Amino acid sequence: MSAPVLEPRAARPAAAPPPRPGSARPSRSGAAGAVEPGRPRRGPRRALALAVIASCNAMIQLDDAVVNIALPGMRADLGLTPVGSSWVLNAYLLAFGGLLLLGGRAGDVLGRRKVFLTGVALFTAGAAARAAAPGVEVLTAVRIVQGVGAALAAPSGLALLLSTFEEGAPRKRAIAVCTAVGAVSTAGGLLLAGTLSSLSGWRWELLLNVPLGVLVLALGPFVIAETRRNPGRFDLAGALLSALGATALVHGLARAAEEGAGDARALGSVACGVLLLALFAGVERRAAHPVVAPVLFRDRARVLSYAATLAVPGSVMGAYFFLNQYFQQQAGYGPLGAALALTPLAATMALTAGAAVRLERHLGPRHLMATGAALLLTGNLWLSRLPDAAPADAASAVPYWTGVLPPLLLLGAGMACCVIPPTVLATSGLRGGEAGAASSVLNAVQTLGGSLGLAVLVAVASRAGMTAGFTAGAACAGAALLAALLIGRRPGRTGEGGA
């Protein structure tokens, strides 16, 4: 849920017109959420609102760890074929990635709290139902329901965070909290899922994030203030093109990760997705009520923050994907041992998130993001020294404490430094009707970056081995570093509080 010392200034209109009935009142800086009516004003209530939003973020991030560890048990008990197993993962990913842009627009038009809670309810119901699924058909259907719920909840949750915390230090700290909670949920999810899978089976494991969903639904209506609706109609043509285009693109990239980059269906799906998204961009320029306002892409810092968000997932994807196999197939670890060995990455990210906010105040987002990307680059190059084949004897194996743990710590710290700056830059200087759209674009780019990164890394590793896969991860980090360096210095707002 990812500034020079100061943030970029939004363009100031010559004279701000009075707000229309039903529209959000702009802040002094022109930001959507700085003083939007209805946001919680008391400290304790704002803290509870942040806890609810962060819990939703944790619930969604925890799901990936839960499903991946439960998948072997599902295959055995339900008789899943390789195709059926892939659909358990891809059905959710396609619904989530395909509907993110529409989910953000729905929050702007219908009310962000309403859409947020609706998404959480769908996600939680799907998570509970999958634990009782009798076969692959029901399992795939409830995974689609979960994807729809996540597409509604994720962008609306980030938009609610923007409307609850004003720009500057309060918002940066809130983003850091969500980042830390998400990292802790990933680490804890790996350990809990591995333990439950060993003790009581995969069905109980799939219920792990249900209590978080119930907690959000119970507290959300009381601690999160509803935002004012932004009047307007849904752009049906744009919504359809964006959903189909994003779905085709994500499907093609997911298939490329499984079948190889040269797979004809994968290439055709990617080409179709690119074409549909190009048509979507043309439709949005002429639409009266676009799904995504083209004005979001006129700010250089925001566009470069989207580029960095696209590149960063590929720089850490290899650690989870390749190292899980390395630990179990070459180092002789069991599932729980592999989860424990990977935990320092997420733990370091959680512990570093708060320090990243303070560093951002002194370094600015450009230099903090560049520092984080450099750490990711170094960590991937370090891991590229791991052998592709199992050693001939235990004495020649790479020691975990000196050969694996240090780069994992670098990757965790690098991720913490690379999440906060792009999120701040992508969501700064927004007007009342733009927060949901900006949030959905940020989430969509992050999802696309994960699919693209995995496809590239797997395609490279399948031809040249794990070492080359980590080198490709280093290239992703290099792309994020370039995007960070291209963000120019801008004058910041006066009166911004320190972190």
Side-chain angles (χ1 to χ4, degrees):
M1 213 196 295
S2 299
V5 170
L6 306 172
E7 300 171 25
R9 184 188 301 274
R12 289 186 179 177
R20 296 172 304 187
S23 65
R25 184 185 302 275
S27 70
R28 285 175 295 179
S29 61
V35 289
E36 185 173 339
R39 72 169 176 84
R41 296 183 182 277
R42 290 176 295 173
R45 193 176 175 193
R46 285 214 303 181
L48 285 173
L50 176 58
V52 167
I53 295 170
S55 296
C56 173
N57 184 47
M59 176 185 70
I60 294 174
Q61 292 198 35
L62 175 62
D63 204 67
D64 288 336
V66 166
V67 173
N68 276 291
I69 292 180
L71 201 54
M74 293 182 199
R75 290 194 191 105
D77 288 356
L78 301 180
L80 298 183
T81 64
V83 174
S85 298
S86 68
W87 271 108
V88 171
L89 301 174
N90 291 338
Y92 169 81
L93 187 63
L94 295 178
F96 183 28
L99 297 175
L100 267 169
L101 296 179
L102 185 58
R105 175 63 177 157
D108 285 340
V109 174
L110 302 177
R112 293 169 195 153
R113 186 182 69 179
K114 179 186 296 183
V115 172
F116 172 73
L117 293 175
T118 300
V120 172
L122 287 173
F123 188 95
T124 306
R130 69 187 176 183
V136 65
E137 294 83 4
V138 174
L139 191 57
T140 302
V142 296
R143 289 290 284 162
I144 292 173
V145 172
Q146 277 193 282
V148 174
L152 296 175
S156 294
L158 180 55
L160 283 168
L161 184 145
L162 302 183
S163 65
T164 304
F165 295 89
E166 61 271 16
E167 286 191 24
R171 184 177 294 178
K172 293 171 189 174
R173 285 194 293 265
I175 293 172
V177 168
C178 285
T179 300
V181 170
V184 169
S185 73
T186 299
L190 285 169
L191 299 177
L192 286 173
T195 303
L196 280 176
S197 185
S198 301
L199 296 177
S200 56
W202 63 271
R203 292 189 184 273
W204 286 101
E205 177 190 338
L206 290 181
L207 295 173
L208 265 178
N209 49 6
V210 172
L212 285 173
V214 173
L215 178 67
V216 171
L217 292 173
L219 295 180
F222 303 101
V223 302
I224 297 178
E226 181 59 282
T227 56
R228 289 186 178 181
R229 300 179 184 181
N230 290 283
R233 295 176 298 175
F234 284 106
D235 172 21
L236 295 180
L240 183 62
L241 286 171
S242 68
L244 292 177
T247 300
L249 190 57
V250 171
H251 175 264
L253 293 171
R255 184 176 177 86
E258 295 175 0
E259 305 295 336
D263 181 75
R265 291 187 180 180
L267 293 174
S269 184
V270 169
C272 182
V274 171
L275 176 61
L276 289 171
L277 290 176
L279 291 174
F280 166 69
V283 167
E284 294 303 276
R285 283 196 291 267
R286 299 188 299 272
H289 302 281
V291 175
V292 176
V295 70
L296 291 176
F297 300 95
R298 294 174 188 167
D299 182 83
R300 180 185 176 189
R302 183 174 291 118
V303 171
L304 287 170
S305 71
Y306 288 149
T309 302
L310 182 70
V312 163
S315 65
V316 75
M317 194 73 67
Y320 287 108
F321 187 80
F322 296 131
L323 288 182
N324 185 46
Q325 299 177 57
Y326 172 81
F327 290 141
Q328 297 191 55
Q329 296 174 10
Q330 296 188 34
Y333 294 12
L336 185 56
L340 282 168
L342 285 170
T343 298
L345 193 163
T348 302
M349 184 177 173
L351 293 172
T352 312
V357 174
R358 293 188 290 273
L359 284 172
E360 193 270 349
R361 179 187 174 193
H362 299 289
L363 299 178
R366 176 173 178 261
H367 292 119
L368 180 62
M369 199 188 313
T371 300
L375 292 174
L376 293 173
L377 177 63
T378 304
N380 275 281
L381 291 177
W382 194 328
L383 289 171
S384 71
R385 301 169 60 190
L386 294 175
D388 285 316
D393 56 83
S396 60
V398 175
Y400 173 80
W401 300 105
T402 58
V404 180
L405 179 60
L408 285 181
L409 299 180
L410 291 177
L411 292 179
M415 279 297 294
C417 295
C418 281
V419 168
I420 295 172
T423 305
V424 169
L425 290 171
T427 57
S428 296
L430 301 175
R431 299 191 182 281
E434 296 169 355
S439 302
S440 62
V441 171
L442 189 65
N443 278 280
V445 168
Q446 189 174 43
T447 301
L448 178 59
S451 300
L452 178 61
L454 182 60
V456 170
L457 266 60
V458 170
V460 170
S462 64
R463 295 191 177 188
M466 180 180 69
T467 294
F470 280 119
T471 303
C476 292
L481 176 60
L482 178 61
L485 294 177
L486 289 175
I487 297 175
R489 293 182 175 274
R490 296 190 177 192
R493 294 185 178 89
T494 59
E496 186 177 299

